[in-house]
Amino acid sequence: QVQPVESGGGSVQSGGSLRLSCTAPELTSALCGLHWYRQPAGKQREWLSSWRHDVGITGYAEQVKGRFTLSKDQAKDTVFLQMNSLKPEDSAIYFCKVTFGWGCASNKWGQGTQVTVSS
């Protein structure tokens, strides 16, 4: 079953760094994009950054710009989200979504990975 797999979450103190990864190895020929979102407790899920097969990295949400960096392993269907200068407000469940298939119309969410930043 197609589903992206996230890893790399954990607990860190304010100012620290974490690196998340998301992979979707079953979709090499049909992969359209790999996207990172997060959902703080009690709040809505918010988009952070995306890699798309046609344009590469599309940009960053304003709240993480300059602190988070998305990169892609060209040899594998894996993206990495390097998170630096973490703040307590970055605490959330981080989700990866994969878009794939005809017209990039299909998508699947990963199960998420918890990031906790303490002050």
Side-chain angles (χ1 to χ4, degrees), residues 30-99:
L31 182 66
C32 289
L34 291 162
H35 316 267
W36 279 105
Y37 290 74
R38 70 184 181 189
Q39 187 166 14
K43 296 184 179 181
Q44 288 189 332
R45 194 169 297 188
E46 58 184 9
W47 172 81
L48 298 177
S49 187
S50 295
W51 171 85
R52 286 174 41 188
H53 72 106
D54 51 350
V55 298
I57 295 168
T58 63
Y60 300 90
E62 203 59 41
Q63 58 268 41
V64 303
K65 196 175 292 183
R67 300 188 297 122
F68 290 13
T69 303
L70 187 67
S71 60
K72 186 179 183 297
D73 185 330
Q74 294 303 318
K76 303 177 183 178
D77 293 323
T78 302
V79 290
F80 303 96
L81 187 66
Q82 178 67 42
M83 308 187 295
N84 297 329
S85 302
L86 284 163
K87 307 173 183 179
E89 51 263 45
D90 293 317
S91 297
I93 300 176
Y94 284 67
F95 294 91
C96 181
K97 182 178 76 171
V98 58
T99 50

Side-chain angles (χ1 to χ4, degrees), residues 2-24:
V2 173
Q3 186 171 24
V5 178
E6 307 103 332
S7 63
S11 297
V12 66
Q13 289 191 327
S14 182
S17 298
L18 285 172
R19 189 192 195 208
L20 307 183
S21 66
C22 171
T23 187

